[in-house]
Amino acid sequence: MSATGQMTGTVPNPAFDPYRATARAQGTIAPQGRFMLITAPAKINLYLGVHEGTGEDGYHRVDTVMTTLDLTDTLAIAPSDRLMVKTVPEADFPQESNTAYKAAVAMGKAFDREPNFAILIDKHIPIRAGLGGPSTDAAATIMGICRYWGVDPRDGRIDAVARSIGADVPFFLYGPPAHLDGRGDRMSELFRPLTGTPVALVKPMTGGVSTVEAYRRFDEAPVASGPLEPMLEAMRSHDEQAIFEHVSNNLAPIARELCPQIGEIVDWMREQPDVRAVDVCGSGATVFAVCNTQMAAEKIGIAAMKEHGWWAQAAKMEKTGPIIAVG
């Protein structure tokens, strides 16, 4: 790896994060019978470029630059006599459809062990919002099971498990901002964190955008992606002005078409003071605004809720993936 964080030669497994404190000792074994609390951060896409057409695997080629936020879900994991996953608030779908459940099953198959854990997820990241909630929960589950089983997170099987659950899951095993390519699931380059940068998040109070439907509409009428290299150069040089000038998402027009409120939110946020960049998170339905100050982000959030009845949250950019505490 180069001094800028660029991957060179063989790309290491994404569970290795050179920016995370080694004191968290991700490879040590948790005392049996005790529980773990794991924070699972949300993300935004500073750049998202979906390429036209699909490969032989049926997937689009995707380039994305993502960073984590301090908006988090919290997972409590403990040994159990069987695998069970619950969420607060309670999910309206069976546990077998939860990405945390799928991640635990995949870990069991990869390491030929029974993934008998009770997993409780305290949800704060809204779903169908483009913030990566299901993916970060899966990554947190993977890292928690690694700790219980004494598995080195750099084991190549961890990357395979993560990618089998979803394209964003490998990113959440990292901490710093990163460029991923392939299907958007292959780590290409790590960058210095933008820790503490204020962000306002706003979305319609109800509804969302189906990623499947967004890609279907994209196939019907592809939208050209923005230039990637200027964003990568800005990230490498840690030039914040250039980074926020090159924020781009070619799924944003699709999201606006599928959910007109997203367009209203984008236009409204671009009119707010002290805003450096505005775009849609993933395929929606959340819109983010990078702000000059935390106060500006808070004011946008309050105005979005009071004046428009939208869901809103002020946040900051982070540098970490899942953080584990043993109880």
Side-chain angles (χ1 to χ4, degrees), residues 28-325:
T28 60
I29 301 175
Q32 295 303 303
R34 301 182 68 178
F35 72 93
M36 288 185 295
L37 289 178
I38 308 176
T39 57
K43 61 82 178 172
I44 56 172
N45 303 77
L46 296 174
Y47 178 93
L48 180 61
V50 178
H51 298 263
E52 187 175 350
T54 58
E56 293 180 358
D57 59 2
Y59 289 91
H60 291 81
R61 190 163 67 86
V62 175
D63 284 289
T64 184
V65 175
M66 294 188 281
T67 184
T68 55
L69 302 175
D70 64 356
L71 171 63
T72 66
D73 288 345
T74 302
L75 284 74
I77 302 180
S80 177
D81 59 352
R82 66 189 187 282
L83 175 60
M84 49 185 165
V85 176
K86 301 289 184 183
T87 65
V88 180
E90 188 173 355
D92 60 357
F93 50 83
Q95 66 171 357
E96 291 80 7
S97 298
N98 192 293
T99 51
Y101 188 97
K102 293 178 180 179
V105 170
M107 285 291 287
K109 290 179 179 178
F111 292 92
D112 195 25
R113 298 183 65 166
E114 290 295 329
N116 291 336
F117 296 97
I119 303 172
L120 178 64
I121 307 174
D122 188 7
K123 292 291 297 177
H124 296 278
I125 304 171
I127 61 173
R128 298 182 68 192
L131 295 169
S135 295
T136 193
D137 293 346
T141 299
I142 291 168
M143 295 301 284
I145 293 176
C146 281
R147 173 73 75 91
Y148 269 111
W149 288 350
V151 173
D152 186 341
R154 292 167 292 187
D155 187 306
R157 289 170 289 184
I158 299 303
D159 188 30
V161 166
R163 295 173 72 178
S164 74
I165 305 302
D168 290 343
V169 180
F171 164 73
F172 285 111
L173 298 179
Y174 279 77
H179 168 221
L180 294 93
D181 58 16
R183 298 186 306 188
D185 62 351
R186 185 175 61 197
M187 188 61 63
S188 175
E189 191 169 354
L190 299 174
F191 307 104
R192 287 173 56 194
L194 297 159
T195 310
T197 301
V199 179
L201 304 171
V202 180
K203 76 174 191 69
M205 185 61 74
T206 59
V209 176
S210 162
T211 301
V212 173
E213 178 63 14
Y215 274 86
R216 188 185 70 78
R217 292 288 186 93
F218 178 86
D219 288 337
E220 292 174 354
V223 178
S225 58
L228 171 62
E229 196 57 35
M231 171 59 81
L232 297 183
E233 287 296 333
M235 294 296 293
R236 290 167 188 148
S237 61
H238 204 66
D239 183 340
E240 291 193 7
Q241 181 176 340
I243 290 169
F244 302 135
E245 285 176 354
H246 291 98
V247 166
S248 177
N249 178 357
N250 68 332
L251 285 185
I254 308 294
R256 296 181 66 145
E257 177 185 335
L258 290 172
C259 181
Q261 270 197 81
I262 293 176
E264 295 175 23
I265 293 170
V266 169
D267 295 341
W268 177 80
M269 292 181 81
R270 285 177 175 161
E271 296 173 351
Q272 303 310 302
D274 289 318
V275 167
R276 307 174 75 178
V278 174
D279 216 325
V280 176
C281 300
S283 58
T286 304
V287 179
F288 71 90
V290 180
C291 301
N292 283 322
T293 66
Q294 191 63 30
M295 182 175 292
E298 299 282 355
K299 286 182 176 179
I300 289 172
I302 292 170
M305 291 187 289
K306 292 181 65 175
E307 298 173 15
H308 300 278
W310 294 325
W311 177 93
Q313 176 76 45
K316 300 185 185 73
M317 294 187 192
E318 259 292 355
K319 62 180 179 181
T320 61
I323 298 177
I324 299 174

